[in-house]
Amino acid sequence: MSTLTHSHPKNRPNARLPINDEIVEPLFVALTLVGIAAGLMTTSFGAQARVHLAVNLLTYFVGGFYAVRAIIAALRERKIEVDLLMVIAAIGAAYVDAWTEGAILLFLFSLSNVLQGYAMRRTERAISALMELRPDTVNVRRGDQTVAVALEAVQVGDVVLLRPGDRVPLDGTIQRGSGNFDESAITGESMPVHRSEGAHVLAGTLNTNGALDMLVTKPASESTLARIINMVSEAQSRKASTQSFLDRAEQYYAMSVIVSVLLFIILVPPIFGVNFGENFYKGMVLLTVASPCALVISVPAALLSAIANAARRGVLFKGGAHLEELSKVKVVAFDKTGTLTFGRPELTDVLPQPGVSKDELLEAVARAELSSEHPIARAIMAYATTQGLAPAEPEKFSAVTGMGVRASWDGQETLVGSPRLMTQAGITVPAELLTEMDRLADDGRGTVLLAHRGSRWLGLVTVMDRERPDAAEKLAALRAAGIERVVMLTGDNVRVAEAMGRRLGIDEVHAGLLPEDKLRIVEELGKKYGPVAMVGDGVNDAPALAAASSGIAMGAAGTDAALETADIVLMSDDLGAIGYAVGLSKHTQRVVWQNIAFAMSVVVVLVISTLTIGVPLPLGVVGHEGSTILVVLNGLRLLAYRG
Ligand code: ADP
Ligand code: MG
């Protein structure tokens, strides 16, 4: 029966028992087999009836113990599990004195449970391997000394000592030294990356060769690794809709099997004039072969394996349901910045207006952008630093999402951003500035920003984000995986966006968008073409991620808002992971349907043969449990999917 609904530890009240189920359950299975042998011997040696009965009862006890425990746990939640059908069938067999057959049923049934439990734990282990990436203690610098501190006790601002071969315990930035980091556990990317002073490093990655100091930037509970572990464990509890449908159907199905078999036993002998005992035995076989064990496990066996496979590749599905949704997606919409491009723009031009010096423009822009978290702001700050500028914090600051920033100092307000920001603030942009902006955009200078302070135009600044070199190729792979339409959504200028869209072979480009526009377009795309996946990284993408039928957040270092709202998180910054995820989801759906179809046909074939040619109970059980195990193994194949 399904490990999830039956043998899963949480359904088994083993807290009361001091013994370990993982050892006792197989032991009981073995004892059942011994009991069957002993039962046969007592018969052939003509032992006393009482001895015979005692042996059989003991065999039933060890064979049925775990099933009965699962039944009781389920009944407490007012649910019937298929285990119940099995136990009734075994008891029924005993009633017509077919003890051995009943015992064989219990033996095969519990054996199959143990095997399934083992197989499913393999999947769960693949996921919980992530947990082992967290060390228990961390070497923290305190004055001249290094002290070992428990992971949970390390605080933001502590300096952690990393030696070659150490796993990074928490998210932080390198303060001193450099090294090559193996990030495969988090991002799935196998090439080590060189990181030096100032670089951000993630918990769970491996420092292969550097001796360095790391400044902790997030507490243990908020590290990227901790979040991943949370997401993955939540993923296992959220069910795909096929699965919750099957769970509900199981109840009705199990009930109707019990009722039908009952009617079969009562009605068939008087109507057809057959022997009651023989017919009763047939009823027990029916009860066994009609149980939907294979059906119940068919979906989770596939989904869990797929989730584990994806986690190893740095793709986190937050639930089985998202695999199902992704497999149906027809359109993929990409945010441009940070997704199709690296999201690490660089400042390319500083173009002051006549009468304004380059320094004045740069100083004002840098000061205004000081508190912004936008990649554009980081590009400007990085450039300002190389020019020896260290601007002071402005007196007032506000970021206008998707438009730019407004900051005030010395009694004057500075605005840096798109023409829309200016219009919104009631400032009219002179036509010659707009023409100049278009010219720069056409020239491929990247995103062009206007800077205005007090009542003066200071000039233009351009920042350019490098396109991911493999973007075109990865988009083509996405089409090969069955995506019909690729769309770009961006807050950036139309000209910049369209030029890039042409280069990458994108079907539709929507530019100059605000966050709410992205959401609206995602909804429209959904109506026109079918289910949409939205790929984004920023705060401004969060509404669209939520509206899409599959929200995909890119990059573990993406904003928290994007990570929270997304259904699927790509830990790596690799666009290829999207094609892989789509491929995996389709493959998983195929396996799910194979499993369902196979499980149902076995039930149908066995029920028909029982009614027509008659099937001995042991053979019925072999067919039934065999199909259950095959279904689980078929699901486990997904662990090996490469894509
Ligand atoms: P995308 O949709 O490409 O991720 P955003 O929605 O974040 O882009 O930004 C859209 C536009 O708003 C940018 O192209 C830029 O013109 C302007 N903008 C946003 N944030 C800033 C900022 N901090 N400084 C200047 N301009 C900004
Ligand atoms: Mg973005």
Side-chain angles (χ1 to χ4, degrees):
M1 220 96 341
S2 135
T3 6
L4 285 189
T5 48
H6 313 275
S7 310
H8 197 277
K10 79 174 193 296
N11 280 357
R12 303 222 140 154
N14 59 347
R16 290 178 285 120
L17 299 171
I19 37 179
N20 185 345
D21 283 346
E22 272 186 53
I23 299 166
V24 178
E25 202 171 348
L27 185 70
F28 273 20
V29 174
L31 285 177
T32 314
L33 193 61
V34 174
I36 294 170
L40 289 173
M41 280 199 289
T42 51
T43 329
S44 51
F45 293 143
Q48 278 183 344
R50 262 189 296 155
V51 178
H52 187 58
L53 181 67
V55 168
N56 282 330
L57 284 177
L58 272 174
T59 312
Y60 264 52
F61 174 77
V62 285
F65 179 79
Y66 278 92
V68 170
R69 232 171 66 175
I71 293 169
I72 294 173
L75 285 180
R76 283 223 187 90
E77 293 171 30
R78 300 178 167 279
K79 287 206 295 211
I80 346 176
E81 305 283 23
V82 268
D83 297 52
L84 186 60
L85 307 189
M86 291 295 166
V87 171
I88 296 177
I91 294 173
Y95 172 69
V96 291
D97 210 20
W99 283 96
T100 311
E101 272 136 323
I104 292 176
L105 182 156
L106 290 176
F107 165 69
L108 290 174
F109 174 60
S110 51
L111 175 68
S112 147
N113 258 349
V114 167
L115 291 180
Q116 283 172 55
Y118 179 76
M120 297 299 268
R121 269 195 300 275
R122 260 191 63 131
T123 305
E124 282 166 18
R125 249 198 296 275
I127 291 172
S128 63
L130 282 169
M131 300 282 255
E132 283 151 30
L133 300 176
R134 315 178 65 168
D136 296 329
T137 59
V138 180
N139 293 321
V140 174
R141 261 193 214 289
R142 292 272 151 85
D144 302 338
Q145 294 186 346
T146 323
V147 270
V149 176
L151 180 69
E152 274 68 34
V154 181
Q155 282 163 7
V156 172
D158 277 344
V159 175
V160 170
L161 199 69
L162 287 179
R163 284 163 313 204
D166 280 350
R167 279 228 178 255
V168 178
L170 298 127
D171 291 1
T173 47
I174 300 176
Q175 208 174 38
R176 196 183 54 78
S178 71
N180 289 328
F181 286 79
D182 174 351
E183 306 188 333
S184 55
I186 301 297
T187 64
E189 169 63 55
S190 52
M191 283 290 289
V193 195
H194 186 76
R195 302 230 181 266
S196 51
E197 263 166 52
H200 198 65
V201 286
L202 295 177
T205 57
L206 183 72
N207 162 33
T208 57
N209 61 356
L212 23 87
D213 285 355
M214 183 193 90
L215 184 72
V216 176
T217 53
K218 277 185 190 162
S221 56
E222 283 167 30
S223 76
T224 308
L225 179 63
R227 281 208 309 250
I228 299 177
I229 292 173
N230 268 341
M231 285 177 200
V232 176
S233 41
E234 268 175 42
Q236 289 176 290
S237 57
R238 282 194 222 170
K239 289 179 174 170
S241 66
T242 327
Q243 191 180 341
S244 32
F245 169 77
L246 285 179
D247 282 356
R248 260 175 292 127
E250 183 195 348
Q251 299 294 311
Y252 296 108
Y253 183 85
M255 251 342 259
S256 55
V257 169
I258 295 179
V259 172
S260 319
V261 169
L262 209 62
L263 291 177
F264 178 82
I265 293 171
I266 301 172
L267 297 181
V268 170
I271 298 176
F272 295 94
V274 293
N275 177 292
F276 177 82
E278 269 167 33
N279 188 65
F280 186 92
Y281 179 87
K282 225 177 204 179
M284 293 306 112
V285 180
L286 275 182
L287 203 55
T288 314
V289 298
S291 297
C293 297
L295 203 55
V296 168
I297 191 124
S298 58
V299 182
L303 293 186
L304 275 188
S305 302
I307 290 178
N309 181 319
R312 280 204 302 239
R313 290 275 295 263
V315 177
L316 303 180
F317 282 89
K318 289 198 195 161
H322 305 307
L323 270 161
E324 200 174 320
E325 276 154 16
L326 186 64
S327 72
K328 297 185 191 132
V329 160
K330 297 259 183 315
V331 187
V332 178
F334 286 93
D335 162 51
K336 176 174 77 71
T337 324
T339 310
L340 295 174
T341 65
F342 281 102
R344 284 190 294 271
E346 280 162 21
L347 188 142
T348 35
D349 303 282
V350 181
L351 306 163
Q353 285 290 94
V356 180
S357 76
K358 233 177 172 161
D359 285 348
E360 189 187 350
L361 170 60
L362 187 62
E363 263 173 46
V365 170
R367 194 164 179 186
E369 295 277 10
L370 182 67
S371 318
S372 166
E373 285 181 346
H374 201 276
I376 291 181
R378 273 183 267 146
I380 291 171
M381 295 318 296
Y383 181 78
T385 314
T386 64
Q387 299 300 302
L389 291 181
E393 188 123 358
E395 285 150 22
K396 252 171 63 190
F397 169 83
S398 67
V400 189
T401 315
M403 296 188 204
V405 293
R406 305 175 70 155
S408 308
W409 62 89
D410 301 339
Q412 282 189 324
E413 192 184 30
T414 305
L415 290 88
V416 182
S418 62
R420 204 192 235 135
L421 176 77
M422 305 299 165
T423 323
Q424 196 210 36
I427 303 166
T428 323
V429 187
E432 65 267 24
L433 268 179
L434 288 174
T435 334
E436 174 69 0
M437 285 182 83
D438 284 349
R439 196 187 58 74
L440 286 164
D442 286 344
D443 212 27
R445 304 305 304 169
T447 306
V448 192
L449 305 173
L450 289 157
H452 184 272
R453 173 160 171 81
S455 55
R456 280 199 310 154
W457 287 102
L458 296 180
L460 300 170
V461 176
T462 62
V463 291
M464 183 124 88
D465 198 359
R466 268 191 311 133
E467 214 165 282
R468 292 180 195 270
D470 57 352
E473 178 195 325
K474 295 293 157 63
L475 292 189
L478 206 54
R479 288 183 205 275
I483 297 301
E484 290 164 15
R485 210 169 170 79
V486 178
V487 179
M488 182 205 282
L489 307 179
T490 180
D492 206 346
N493 176 290
V494 187
R495 288 161 192 262
V496 179
E498 280 183 347
M500 181 185 270
R502 272 192 301 278
R503 275 198 301 277
L504 299 182
I506 287 172
D507 300 307
E508 238 177 85
V509 173
H510 298 266
L513 304 178
L514 295 177
E516 55 268 32
D517 299 329
K518 290 191 180 181
L519 175 128
R520 179 177 48 78
I521 292 173
V522 162
E523 281 170 350
E524 282 170 12
L525 286 170
K527 285 201 198 100
K528 245 200 225 148
Y529 304 108
V532 182
M534 165 80 197
V535 188
D537 68 329
V539 187
N540 57 343
D541 301 322
L545 287 177
S549 79
S550 301
I552 305 178
M554 181 106 173
T559 53
D560 289 358
L563 291 191
E564 295 300 323
T565 29
D567 306 316
I568 302 160
V569 177
L570 307 182
M571 302 309 295
S572 62
D573 253 359
D574 175 16
L575 277 176
I578 302 170
Y580 155 80
V582 171
L584 175 70
S585 71
K586 295 202 171 185
H587 193 63
T588 306
Q589 277 320 96
R590 269 200 300 279
V591 172
V592 162
W593 286 111
Q594 274 166 12
N595 276 356
I596 292 179
F598 177 70
M600 294 204 341
S601 6
V602 170
V603 169
V604 170
V605 168
L606 284 177
V607 167
I608 293 176
S609 348
T610 309
L611 288 176
T612 51
I613 52 176
V615 172
L617 186 55
L619 190 63
V621 181
V622 167
H624 175 261
E625 294 305 332
S627 70
T628 310
I629 288 178
L630 279 182
V631 158
V632 172
L633 291 180
N634 192 35
L636 282 185
R637 280 195 311 134
L638 284 166
L639 273 180
Y641 176 83
R642 299 243 161 268

